[in-house]
mmCIF file of all heavy atoms in Angstrom:
data_model
loop_
_atom_site.group_PDB
_atom_site.id
_atom_site.type_symbol
_atom_site.label_atom_id
_atom_site.label_comp_id
_atom_site.label_asym_id
_atom_site.label_seq_id
_atom_site.Cartn_x
_atom_site.Cartn_y
_atom_site.Cartn_z
ATOM 1 N N SER A 16 73.002 64.272 86.250
ATOM 2 C CA SER A 16 74.185 63.502 86.454
ATOM 3 C C SER A 16 74.817 63.773 87.796
ATOM 4 O O SER A 16 75.812 63.150 88.183
ATOM 5 C CB SER A 16 75.252 63.890 85.329
ATOM 6 O OG SER A 16 75.592 65.164 85.531
ATOM 7 N N LYS A 17 74.297 64.791 88.522
ATOM 8 C CA LYS A 17 74.834 65.105 89.862
ATOM 9 C C LYS A 17 74.534 64.031 90.854
ATOM 10 O O LYS A 17 73.347 63.644 91.009
ATOM 11 C CB LYS A 17 74.352 66.479 90.294
ATOM 12 C CG LYS A 17 74.891 67.663 89.375
ATOM 13 C CD LYS A 17 74.365 69.006 89.893
ATOM 14 C CE LYS A 17 74.829 70.079 89.054
ATOM 15 N NZ LYS A 17 74.349 71.433 89.475
ATOM 16 N N LYS A 18 75.434 63.558 91.563
ATOM 17 C CA LYS A 18 75.329 62.463 92.607
ATOM 18 C C LYS A 18 75.860 63.000 93.917
ATOM 19 O O LYS A 18 76.841 63.694 93.916
ATOM 20 C CB LYS A 18 75.941 61.230 92.109
ATOM 21 C CG LYS A 18 75.432 60.571 90.911
ATOM 22 C CD LYS A 18 76.146 59.305 90.516
ATOM 23 C CE LYS A 18 75.612 58.685 89.294
ATOM 24 N NZ LYS A 18 76.312 57.423 88.894
ATOM 25 N N PRO A 19 75.273 62.547 95.044
ATOM 26 C CA PRO A 19 75.864 62.901 96.375
ATOM 27 C C PRO A 19 77.153 62.214 96.488
ATOM 28 O O PRO A 19 77.390 61.088 96.056
ATOM 29 C CB PRO A 19 74.821 62.337 97.369
ATOM 30 C CG PRO A 19 74.081 61.307 96.630
ATOM 31 C CD PRO A 19 74.039 61.750 95.163
ATOM 32 N N THR A 20 78.115 62.895 97.071
ATOM 33 C CA THR A 20 79.448 62.383 97.261
ATOM 34 C C THR A 20 79.755 62.129 98.711
ATOM 35 O O THR A 20 79.501 62.889 99.595
ATOM 36 C CB THR A 20 80.469 63.420 96.667
ATOM 37 O OG1 THR A 20 80.161 63.734 95.343
ATOM 38 C CG2 THR A 20 81.880 62.816 96.727
ATOM 39 N N ASN A 21 80.321 60.932 98.954
ATOM 40 C CA ASN A 21 80.751 60.549 100.328
ATOM 41 C C ASN A 21 82.157 60.957 100.538
ATOM 42 O O ASN A 21 83.064 60.492 99.848
ATOM 43 C CB ASN A 21 80.564 59.058 100.495
ATOM 44 C CG ASN A 21 80.815 58.622 101.903
ATOM 45 O OD1 ASN A 21 80.986 59.468 102.809
ATOM 46 N ND2 ASN A 21 80.875 57.331 102.166
ATOM 47 N N PHE A 22 82.313 61.909 101.511
ATOM 48 C CA PHE A 22 83.679 62.402 101.678
ATOM 49 C C PHE A 22 84.382 61.703 102.895
ATOM 50 O O PHE A 22 85.464 62.160 103.290
ATOM 51 C CB PHE A 22 83.601 63.989 102.000
ATOM 52 C CG PHE A 22 83.090 64.692 100.834
ATOM 53 C CD1 PHE A 22 81.896 65.541 100.998
ATOM 54 C CD2 PHE A 22 83.651 64.653 99.585
ATOM 55 C CE1 PHE A 22 81.391 66.177 99.967
ATOM 56 C CE2 PHE A 22 83.148 65.355 98.554
ATOM 57 C CZ PHE A 22 82.003 66.101 98.686
ATOM 58 N N LYS A 23 83.740 60.693 103.465
ATOM 59 C CA LYS A 23 84.360 60.015 104.630
ATOM 60 C C LYS A 23 85.578 59.258 104.178
ATOM 61 O O LYS A 23 85.586 58.642 103.111
ATOM 62 C CB LYS A 23 83.323 59.066 105.248
ATOM 63 C CG LYS A 23 82.079 59.802 105.909
ATOM 64 C CD LYS A 23 81.194 58.721 106.498
ATOM 65 C CE LYS A 23 80.074 59.410 107.190
ATOM 66 N NZ LYS A 23 79.126 58.447 107.785
ATOM 67 N N GLY A 24 86.533 59.286 104.960
ATOM 68 C CA GLY A 24 87.820 58.547 104.665
ATOM 69 C C GLY A 24 88.764 59.301 103.813
ATOM 70 O O GLY A 24 89.902 58.908 103.681
ATOM 71 N N ARG A 25 88.412 60.506 103.362
ATOM 72 C CA ARG A 25 89.337 61.337 102.631
ATOM 73 C C ARG A 25 90.092 62.234 103.555
ATOM 74 O O ARG A 25 89.619 62.877 104.402
ATOM 75 C CB ARG A 25 88.626 62.197 101.573
ATOM 76 C CG ARG A 25 87.964 61.421 100.509
ATOM 77 C CD ARG A 25 87.528 62.303 99.381
ATOM 78 N NE ARG A 25 86.828 61.579 98.313
ATOM 79 C CZ ARG A 25 86.357 62.201 97.182
ATOM 80 N NH1 ARG A 25 86.507 63.441 97.061
ATOM 81 N NH2 ARG A 25 85.729 61.451 96.311
ATOM 82 N N LYS A 26 91.434 62.186 103.370
ATOM 83 C CA LYS A 26 92.269 62.995 104.260
ATOM 84 C C LYS A 26 92.433 64.421 103.632
ATOM 85 O O LYS A 26 92.502 64.547 102.409
ATOM 86 C CB LYS A 26 93.689 62.398 104.384
ATOM 87 C CG LYS A 26 93.601 61.041 105.100
ATOM 88 C CD LYS A 26 94.960 60.407 105.262
ATOM 89 C CE LYS A 26 94.949 59.123 106.046
ATOM 90 N NZ LYS A 26 96.322 58.571 106.162
ATOM 91 N N ASN A 27 92.529 65.377 104.536
ATOM 92 C CA ASN A 27 92.851 66.735 104.138
ATOM 93 C C ASN A 27 91.728 67.280 103.149
ATOM 94 O O ASN A 27 92.074 68.013 102.236
ATOM 95 C CB ASN A 27 94.208 66.886 103.538
ATOM 96 C CG ASN A 27 95.288 66.548 104.537
ATOM 97 O OD1 ASN A 27 95.158 66.719 105.685
ATOM 98 N ND2 ASN A 27 96.315 65.874 103.984
ATOM 99 N N PHE A 28 90.507 66.842 103.318
ATOM 100 C CA PHE A 28 89.492 67.289 102.372
ATOM 101 C C PHE A 28 88.966 68.679 102.847
ATOM 102 O O PHE A 28 88.705 68.876 103.997
ATOM 103 C CB PHE A 28 88.364 66.286 102.367
ATOM 104 C CG PHE A 28 87.159 66.803 101.555
ATOM 105 C CD1 PHE A 28 87.193 66.787 100.152
ATOM 106 C CD2 PHE A 28 86.075 67.355 102.168
ATOM 107 C CE1 PHE A 28 86.171 67.283 99.448
ATOM 108 C CE2 PHE A 28 85.036 67.881 101.473
ATOM 109 C CZ PHE A 28 85.044 67.826 100.079
ATOM 110 N N ARG A 29 88.820 69.522 101.859
ATOM 111 C CA ARG A 29 88.255 70.814 102.128
ATOM 112 C C ARG A 29 87.116 71.014 101.040
ATOM 113 O O ARG A 29 87.341 70.999 99.858
ATOM 114 C CB ARG A 29 89.255 71.936 101.983
ATOM 115 C CG ARG A 29 90.259 71.972 103.102
ATOM 116 C CD ARG A 29 91.226 73.108 102.932
ATOM 117 N NE ARG A 29 91.935 72.979 101.659
ATOM 118 C CZ ARG A 29 92.719 73.925 101.156
ATOM 119 N NH1 ARG A 29 92.750 75.084 101.772
ATOM 120 N NH2 ARG A 29 93.360 73.716 100.002
ATOM 121 N N PRO A 30 85.888 71.300 101.570
ATOM 122 C CA PRO A 30 84.782 71.474 100.585
ATOM 123 C C PRO A 30 85.087 72.558 99.544
ATOM 124 O O PRO A 30 85.599 73.616 99.899
ATOM 125 C CB PRO A 30 83.623 71.852 101.513
ATOM 126 C CG PRO A 30 83.941 71.294 102.830
ATOM 127 C CD PRO A 30 85.459 71.425 102.907
ATOM 128 N N GLY A 31 84.805 72.265 98.326
ATOM 129 C CA GLY A 31 84.998 73.251 97.302
ATOM 130 C C GLY A 31 86.430 73.468 96.928
ATOM 131 O O GLY A 31 86.817 74.489 96.372
#
Side-chain angles (χ1 to χ4, degrees):
S16 65
K17 294 181 179 179
K18 297 180 179 180
T20 305
N21 184 9
F22 299 121
K23 293 182 179 179
R25 293 191 183 182
K26 295 181 179 180
N27 300 324
F28 172 77
R29 291 181 299 169

